[in-house]
Amino acid sequence: MNPEREAAERRRLSGLARGELEDELVEAIGRLDAGGVYGRDAAILVGHEFRTPLNAILGFGDLLLSGVPGPLSDEQRRQVESIVDGGRRLARLTEDLLELARAGEGDLDLAIEEFDLGFEAAEAVRAATAEARRKGLSLDLLRAGEVHALGDRRRVARVMRHLLDNAVKFTQGGWIRVEVYGEGGKACCRVSDSGIGVAPEDRDRLFRPFGQLDGGLARHYGGAGLGLALSRLLVEAMGGSIWIEAGGEAADAGARAGARTDRAGAAAAPARGEALAGPGSSFAFCLPSPRR
């Protein structure tokens, strides 16, 4: 391959690794969805058609990283890791598209059970810790004993993942806090941050599919704009509610009586990049609690 073609190919692969294909795919489905005719069918088609090749990409990528076919150079390992990371992002997007389509059709097939909402929050915080630490953010979990909820445990974990992913993505400095508590016979979870915040006029749009605030944010931060829309559909299907609160102050005062703090992110000292902290945002959801 001549140097110019090699450079062009590297740029193309770099774009795939950064998620540009993902962004273009979501934008195309969003345009279809705006017409109200083909969007859901397109989501289902894309979801099912992507699954088989994605499984192959991820399977062979993991095989190469394992070293079974032979050793990789450092550069080859970095490139394969980029392929696998990009494949995982597309796999998550694929599942979100399918889940959104199922929710729109009322076909979620929920597995309702009693579980400790605090345990699920701890698992979600653990999964988000590495990326929060990489950005120098503190990540705390506040909970007071067990808080029992009724819901689909797997779908609740998905909602928490979306809320935490957004908090990490849109917070450049400061903190993220997850609070689990019982209130009014319900089991609730709040995710707050010191990120860029949400203007009051933009709040309704956030819970619509493909509803990122504007094109500039989408280009800068990436993402599909599906997470909050899907979270709302899932929470409401489980008999709960989800909303956004003004700024992140609610969690700043949110260590309720008897709550303990699990610090999962940066060290106990103030987080790096505190000067980059913004007005923040706070998302909360509540689920039914079992009757005693």
Side-chain angles (χ1 to χ4, degrees), residues 67-101:
V68 171
L72 299 175
S73 69
D74 290 343
E75 177 63 21
Q76 289 171 333
R77 178 168 291 276
R78 281 193 293 270
Q79 291 178 1
V80 175
E81 286 173 346
S82 293
I83 292 170
V84 171
D85 287 345
R88 286 177 179 149
R89 281 201 306 272
L90 278 173
R92 288 194 294 269
L93 171 62
T94 297
E95 187 54 39
D96 283 349
L97 286 169
L98 289 172
E99 194 83 311
L100 194 67

mmCIF file of all heavy atoms in Angstrom, residues 67-101:
data_model
loop_
_atom_site.group_PDB
_atom_site.id
_atom_site.type_symbol
_atom_site.label_atom_id
_atom_site.label_comp_id
_atom_site.label_asym_id
_atom_site.label_seq_id
_atom_site.Cartn_x
_atom_site.Cartn_y
_atom_site.Cartn_z
ATOM 1 N N GLY A 67 -3.776 -13.850 22.498
ATOM 2 C CA GLY A 67 -2.461 -14.331 22.086
ATOM 3 C C GLY A 67 -2.446 -15.755 21.579
ATOM 4 O O GLY A 67 -1.388 -16.268 21.217
ATOM 5 N N VAL A 68 -3.613 -16.410 21.511
ATOM 6 C CA VAL A 68 -3.650 -17.806 21.058
ATOM 7 C C VAL A 68 -3.159 -17.947 19.619
ATOM 8 O O VAL A 68 -2.361 -18.850 19.313
ATOM 9 C CB VAL A 68 -5.069 -18.383 21.225
ATOM 10 C CG1 VAL A 68 -5.172 -19.761 20.560
ATOM 11 C CG2 VAL A 68 -5.435 -18.480 22.698
ATOM 12 N N PRO A 69 -3.581 -17.058 18.662
ATOM 13 C CA PRO A 69 -3.072 -17.221 17.290
ATOM 14 C C PRO A 69 -1.609 -16.847 17.146
ATOM 15 O O PRO A 69 -0.972 -17.186 16.157
ATOM 16 C CB PRO A 69 -3.953 -16.258 16.469
ATOM 17 C CG PRO A 69 -5.120 -15.939 17.340
ATOM 18 C CD PRO A 69 -4.603 -16.005 18.742
ATOM 19 N N GLY A 70 -1.077 -16.120 18.115
ATOM 20 C CA GLY A 70 0.313 -15.675 18.045
ATOM 21 C C GLY A 70 0.457 -14.332 18.735
ATOM 22 O O GLY A 70 -0.524 -13.636 18.976
ATOM 23 N N PRO A 71 1.700 -13.954 19.079
ATOM 24 C CA PRO A 71 1.915 -12.692 19.795
ATOM 25 C C PRO A 71 1.645 -11.481 18.909
ATOM 26 O O PRO A 71 1.838 -11.527 17.686
ATOM 27 C CB PRO A 71 3.397 -12.770 20.202
ATOM 28 C CG PRO A 71 4.012 -13.709 19.213
ATOM 29 C CD PRO A 71 2.944 -14.706 18.849
ATOM 30 N N LEU A 72 1.196 -10.390 19.529
ATOM 31 C CA LEU A 72 0.973 -9.123 18.836
ATOM 32 C C LEU A 72 2.039 -8.127 19.259
ATOM 33 O O LEU A 72 2.478 -8.116 20.414
ATOM 34 C CB LEU A 72 -0.409 -8.542 19.190
ATOM 35 C CG LEU A 72 -1.643 -9.361 18.829
ATOM 36 C CD1 LEU A 72 -2.903 -8.670 19.371
ATOM 37 C CD2 LEU A 72 -1.764 -9.549 17.330
ATOM 38 N N SER A 73 2.428 -7.283 18.321
ATOM 39 C CA SER A 73 3.300 -6.165 18.696
ATOM 40 C C SER A 73 2.472 -5.154 19.488
ATOM 41 O O SER A 73 1.231 -5.220 19.520
ATOM 42 C CB SER A 73 3.880 -5.499 17.450
ATOM 43 O OG SER A 73 2.843 -4.830 16.732
ATOM 44 N N ASP A 74 3.132 -4.213 20.140
ATOM 45 C CA ASP A 74 2.414 -3.194 20.914
ATOM 46 C C ASP A 74 1.452 -2.408 20.024
ATOM 47 O O ASP A 74 0.315 -2.122 20.412
ATOM 48 C CB ASP A 74 3.402 -2.239 21.585
ATOM 49 C CG ASP A 74 4.180 -2.906 22.712
ATOM 50 O OD1 ASP A 74 3.745 -3.980 23.176
ATOM 51 O OD2 ASP A 74 5.227 -2.360 23.125
ATOM 52 N N GLU A 75 1.903 -2.048 18.820
ATOM 53 C CA GLU A 75 1.047 -1.290 17.901
ATOM 54 C C GLU A 75 -0.145 -2.133 17.448
ATOM 55 O O GLU A 75 -1.278 -1.638 17.386
ATOM 56 C CB GLU A 75 1.870 -0.822 16.696
ATOM 57 C CG GLU A 75 1.057 -0.077 15.636
ATOM 58 C CD GLU A 75 0.438 1.225 16.152
ATOM 59 O OE1 GLU A 75 0.941 1.752 17.176
ATOM 60 O OE2 GLU A 75 -0.538 1.685 15.538
ATOM 61 N N GLN A 76 0.095 -3.393 17.131
ATOM 62 C CA GLN A 76 -1.005 -4.268 16.736
ATOM 63 C C GLN A 76 -2.021 -4.437 17.872
ATOM 64 O O GLN A 76 -3.233 -4.419 17.651
ATOM 65 C CB GLN A 76 -0.454 -5.632 16.311
ATOM 66 C CG GLN A 76 0.280 -5.621 14.991
ATOM 67 C CD GLN A 76 1.001 -6.936 14.729
ATOM 68 O OE1 GLN A 76 1.380 -7.657 15.664
ATOM 69 N NE2 GLN A 76 1.201 -7.250 13.456
ATOM 70 N N ARG A 77 -1.525 -4.571 19.091
ATOM 71 C CA ARG A 77 -2.436 -4.713 20.241
ATOM 72 C C ARG A 77 -3.291 -3.467 20.411
ATOM 73 O O ARG A 77 -4.495 -3.557 20.656
ATOM 74 C CB ARG A 77 -1.632 -4.995 21.517
ATOM 75 C CG ARG A 77 -2.476 -5.106 22.777
ATOM 76 C CD ARG A 77 -1.686 -5.671 23.931
ATOM 77 N NE ARG A 77 -1.377 -7.082 23.700
ATOM 78 C CZ ARG A 77 -2.202 -8.082 23.971
ATOM 79 N NH1 ARG A 77 -3.395 -7.834 24.486
ATOM 80 N NH2 ARG A 77 -1.834 -9.320 23.737
ATOM 81 N N ARG A 78 -2.698 -2.278 20.265
ATOM 82 C CA ARG A 78 -3.473 -1.036 20.382
ATOM 83 C C ARG A 78 -4.558 -0.977 19.311
ATOM 84 O O ARG A 78 -5.696 -0.559 19.575
ATOM 85 C CB ARG A 78 -2.554 0.178 20.273
ATOM 86 C CG ARG A 78 -1.791 0.492 21.557
ATOM 87 C CD ARG A 78 -1.146 1.871 21.488
ATOM 88 N NE ARG A 78 -0.080 1.911 20.490
ATOM 89 C CZ ARG A 78 1.189 1.627 20.759
ATOM 90 N NH1 ARG A 78 1.547 1.264 21.979
ATOM 91 N NH2 ARG A 78 2.098 1.707 19.815
ATOM 92 N N GLN A 79 -4.222 -1.396 18.098
ATOM 93 C CA GLN A 79 -5.202 -1.346 17.015
ATOM 94 C C GLN A 79 -6.345 -2.339 17.257
ATOM 95 O O GLN A 79 -7.520 -2.011 17.047
ATOM 96 C CB GLN A 79 -4.522 -1.624 15.677
ATOM 97 C CG GLN A 79 -3.595 -0.502 15.237
ATOM 98 C CD GLN A 79 -2.894 -0.805 13.934
ATOM 99 O OE1 GLN A 79 -3.093 -1.848 13.317
ATOM 100 N NE2 GLN A 79 -2.040 0.111 13.492
ATOM 101 N N VAL A 80 -6.011 -3.553 17.705
ATOM 102 C CA VAL A 80 -7.057 -4.545 17.974
ATOM 103 C C VAL A 80 -7.926 -4.084 19.146
ATOM 104 O O VAL A 80 -9.152 -4.251 19.132
ATOM 105 C CB VAL A 80 -6.447 -5.930 18.251
ATOM 106 C CG1 VAL A 80 -7.536 -6.925 18.652
ATOM 107 C CG2 VAL A 80 -5.713 -6.453 17.012
ATOM 108 N N GLU A 81 -7.314 -3.490 20.166
ATOM 109 C CA GLU A 81 -8.093 -2.974 21.293
ATOM 110 C C GLU A 81 -9.060 -1.892 20.841
ATOM 111 O O GLU A 81 -10.200 -1.811 21.324
ATOM 112 C CB GLU A 81 -7.162 -2.433 22.382
ATOM 113 C CG GLU A 81 -6.466 -3.528 23.168
ATOM 114 C CD GLU A 81 -5.414 -2.981 24.120
ATOM 115 O OE1 GLU A 81 -5.047 -1.785 23.982
ATOM 116 O OE2 GLU A 81 -4.954 -3.745 24.994
ATOM 117 N N SER A 82 -8.647 -1.046 19.879
ATOM 118 C CA SER A 82 -9.544 -0.027 19.335
ATOM 119 C C SER A 82 -10.717 -0.664 18.607
ATOM 120 O O SER A 82 -11.863 -0.207 18.717
ATOM 121 C CB SER A 82 -8.785 0.905 18.381
ATOM 122 O OG SER A 82 -7.842 1.681 19.078
ATOM 123 N N ILE A 83 -10.437 -1.740 17.850
ATOM 124 C CA ILE A 83 -11.505 -2.455 17.147
ATOM 125 C C ILE A 83 -12.503 -3.039 18.138
ATOM 126 O O ILE A 83 -13.722 -2.908 17.983
ATOM 127 C CB ILE A 83 -10.911 -3.568 16.264
ATOM 128 C CG1 ILE A 83 -10.118 -2.963 15.102
ATOM 129 C CG2 ILE A 83 -12.010 -4.494 15.743
ATOM 130 C CD1 ILE A 83 -9.307 -3.972 14.315
ATOM 131 N N VAL A 84 -11.996 -3.669 19.192
ATOM 132 C CA VAL A 84 -12.875 -4.297 20.183
ATOM 133 C C VAL A 84 -13.676 -3.242 20.938
ATOM 134 O O VAL A 84 -14.879 -3.404 21.159
ATOM 135 C CB VAL A 84 -12.048 -5.166 21.156
ATOM 136 C CG1 VAL A 84 -12.915 -5.648 22.309
ATOM 137 C CG2 VAL A 84 -11.448 -6.365 20.411
ATOM 138 N N ASP A 85 -13.035 -2.135 21.322
ATOM 139 C CA ASP A 85 -13.753 -1.068 22.022
ATOM 140 C C ASP A 85 -14.870 -0.500 21.142
ATOM 141 O O ASP A 85 -15.989 -0.277 21.606
ATOM 142 C CB ASP A 85 -12.794 0.053 22.426
ATOM 143 C CG ASP A 85 -11.886 -0.337 23.581
ATOM 144 O OD1 ASP A 85 -12.194 -1.354 24.249
ATOM 145 O OD2 ASP A 85 -10.872 0.350 23.800
ATOM 146 N N GLY A 86 -14.552 -0.257 19.863
ATOM 147 C CA GLY A 86 -15.573 0.233 18.951
ATOM 148 C C GLY A 86 -16.696 -0.765 18.757
ATOM 149 O O GLY A 86 -17.880 -0.401 18.702
ATOM 150 N N GLY A 87 -16.350 -2.043 18.672
ATOM 151 C CA GLY A 87 -17.368 -3.085 18.531
ATOM 152 C C GLY A 87 -18.279 -3.153 19.739
ATOM 153 O O GLY A 87 -19.492 -3.344 19.608
ATOM 154 N N ARG A 88 -17.708 -2.983 20.932
ATOM 155 C CA ARG A 88 -18.530 -3.017 22.149
ATOM 156 C C ARG A 88 -19.491 -1.832 22.193
ATOM 157 O O ARG A 88 -20.630 -1.964 22.649
ATOM 158 C CB ARG A 88 -17.638 -3.054 23.382
ATOM 159 C CG ARG A 88 -16.990 -4.426 23.582
ATOM 160 C CD ARG A 88 -16.045 -4.441 24.751
ATOM 161 N NE ARG A 88 -15.470 -5.770 24.917
ATOM 162 C CZ ARG A 88 -14.268 -6.018 25.402
ATOM 163 N NH1 ARG A 88 -13.502 -5.003 25.789
ATOM 164 N NH2 ARG A 88 -13.822 -7.248 25.520
ATOM 165 N N ARG A 89 -19.012 -0.666 21.748
ATOM 166 C CA ARG A 89 -19.909 0.493 21.701
ATOM 167 C C ARG A 89 -21.079 0.235 20.756
ATOM 168 O O ARG A 89 -22.228 0.542 21.065
ATOM 169 C CB ARG A 89 -19.154 1.752 21.255
ATOM 170 C CG ARG A 89 -18.335 2.415 22.339
ATOM 171 C CD ARG A 89 -18.051 3.874 21.989
ATOM 172 N NE ARG A 89 -17.442 4.011 20.672
ATOM 173 C CZ ARG A 89 -16.131 3.949 20.455
ATOM 174 N NH1 ARG A 89 -15.303 3.731 21.461
ATOM 175 N NH2 ARG A 89 -15.651 4.099 19.246
ATOM 176 N N LEU A 90 -20.758 -0.328 19.588
ATOM 177 C CA LEU A 90 -21.824 -0.627 18.633
ATOM 178 C C LEU A 90 -22.756 -1.711 19.164
ATOM 179 O O LEU A 90 -23.966 -1.682 18.916
ATOM 180 C CB LEU A 90 -21.225 -1.066 17.291
ATOM 181 C CG LEU A 90 -20.789 0.063 16.362
ATOM 182 C CD1 LEU A 90 -20.070 -0.512 15.146
ATOM 183 C CD2 LEU A 90 -21.967 0.903 15.919
ATOM 184 N N ALA A 91 -22.213 -2.681 19.901
ATOM 185 C CA ALA A 91 -23.058 -3.721 20.487
ATOM 186 C C ALA A 91 -24.038 -3.123 21.492
ATOM 187 O O ALA A 91 -25.216 -3.492 21.538
ATOM 188 C CB ALA A 91 -22.191 -4.796 21.153
ATOM 189 N N ARG A 92 -23.544 -2.175 22.328
ATOM 190 C CA ARG A 92 -24.437 -1.517 23.285
ATOM 191 C C ARG A 92 -25.494 -0.695 22.568
ATOM 192 O O ARG A 92 -26.672 -0.687 22.957
ATOM 193 C CB ARG A 92 -23.627 -0.638 24.241
ATOM 194 C CG ARG A 92 -22.813 -1.426 25.262
ATOM 195 C CD ARG A 92 -22.311 -0.537 26.388
ATOM 196 N NE ARG A 92 -21.354 0.448 25.919
ATOM 197 C CZ ARG A 92 -20.043 0.262 25.881
ATOM 198 N NH1 ARG A 92 -19.528 -0.904 26.270
ATOM 199 N NH2 ARG A 92 -19.235 1.211 25.464
ATOM 200 N N LEU A 93 -25.088 0.008 21.502
ATOM 201 C CA LEU A 93 -26.051 0.780 20.718
ATOM 202 C C LEU A 93 -27.101 -0.135 20.098
ATOM 203 O O LEU A 93 -28.298 0.175 20.098
ATOM 204 C CB LEU A 93 -25.317 1.569 19.632
ATOM 205 C CG LEU A 93 -26.211 2.251 18.587
ATOM 206 C CD1 LEU A 93 -27.119 3.280 19.252
ATOM 207 C CD2 LEU A 93 -25.355 2.895 17.499
ATOM 208 N N THR A 94 -26.657 -1.265 19.564
ATOM 209 C CA THR A 94 -27.580 -2.216 18.956
ATOM 210 C C THR A 94 -28.621 -2.681 19.960
ATOM 211 O O THR A 94 -29.827 -2.706 19.673
ATOM 212 C CB THR A 94 -26.793 -3.437 18.414
ATOM 213 O OG1 THR A 94 -25.897 -2.992 17.393
ATOM 214 C CG2 THR A 94 -27.729 -4.474 17.832
ATOM 215 N N GLU A 95 -28.174 -3.041 21.158
ATOM 216 C CA GLU A 95 -29.112 -3.497 22.180
ATOM 217 C C GLU A 95 -30.051 -2.365 22.610
ATOM 218 O O GLU A 95 -31.245 -2.605 22.854
ATOM 219 C CB GLU A 95 -28.346 -4.048 23.389
ATOM 220 C CG GLU A 95 -29.235 -4.702 24.434
ATOM 221 C CD GLU A 95 -30.140 -5.784 23.866
ATOM 222 O OE1 GLU A 95 -29.694 -6.552 22.995
ATOM 223 O OE2 GLU A 95 -31.320 -5.846 24.295
ATOM 224 N N ASP A 96 -29.534 -1.146 22.682
ATOM 225 C CA ASP A 96 -30.398 -0.012 23.033
ATOM 226 C C ASP A 96 -31.474 0.213 21.970
ATOM 227 O O ASP A 96 -32.630 0.496 22.287
ATOM 228 C CB ASP A 96 -29.565 1.259 23.199
ATOM 229 C CG ASP A 96 -28.814 1.302 24.523
ATOM 230 O OD1 ASP A 96 -29.094 0.450 25.397
ATOM 231 O OD2 ASP A 96 -27.946 2.185 24.686
ATOM 232 N N LEU A 97 -31.086 0.116 20.695
ATOM 233 C CA LEU A 97 -32.063 0.281 19.617
ATOM 234 C C LEU A 97 -33.154 -0.784 19.692
ATOM 235 O O LEU A 97 -34.345 -0.490 19.558
ATOM 236 C CB LEU A 97 -31.361 0.220 18.259
ATOM 237 C CG LEU A 97 -30.529 1.435 17.851
ATOM 238 C CD1 LEU A 97 -29.690 1.105 16.624
ATOM 239 C CD2 LEU A 97 -31.420 2.636 17.577
ATOM 240 N N LEU A 98 -32.754 -2.027 19.920
ATOM 241 C CA LEU A 98 -33.736 -3.105 20.025
ATOM 242 C C LEU A 98 -34.631 -2.916 21.243
ATOM 243 O O LEU A 98 -35.847 -3.124 21.178
ATOM 244 C CB LEU A 98 -33.023 -4.457 20.089
ATOM 245 C CG LEU A 98 -32.367 -4.924 18.792
ATOM 246 C CD1 LEU A 98 -31.525 -6.172 19.041
ATOM 247 C CD2 LEU A 98 -33.426 -5.218 17.728
ATOM 248 N N GLU A 99 -34.036 -2.506 22.358
ATOM 249 C CA GLU A 99 -34.811 -2.290 23.580
ATOM 250 C C GLU A 99 -35.797 -1.138 23.394
ATOM 251 O O GLU A 99 -36.948 -1.201 23.843
ATOM 252 C CB GLU A 99 -33.868 -1.999 24.736
ATOM 253 C CG GLU A 99 -34.506 -2.081 26.112
ATOM 254 C CD GLU A 99 -34.590 -3.491 26.656
ATOM 255 O OE1 GLU A 99 -35.051 -4.385 25.931
ATOM 256 O OE2 GLU A 99 -34.188 -3.702 27.814
ATOM 257 N N LEU A 100 -35.362 -0.091 22.715
ATOM 258 C CA LEU A 100 -36.243 1.049 22.451
ATOM 259 C C LEU A 100 -37.420 0.621 21.586
ATOM 260 O O LEU A 100 -38.575 1.022 21.826
ATOM 261 C CB LEU A 100 -35.446 2.155 21.763
ATOM 262 C CG LEU A 100 -36.078 3.539 21.698
ATOM 263 C CD1 LEU A 100 -36.202 4.152 23.091
ATOM 264 C CD2 LEU A 100 -35.258 4.462 20.796
ATOM 265 N N ALA A 101 -37.142 -0.209 20.592
ATOM 266 C CA ALA A 101 -38.220 -0.699 19.735
ATOM 267 C C ALA A 101 -39.176 -1.588 20.521
ATOM 268 O O ALA A 101 -40.407 -1.486 20.372
ATOM 269 C CB ALA A 101 -37.630 -1.465 18.548
#
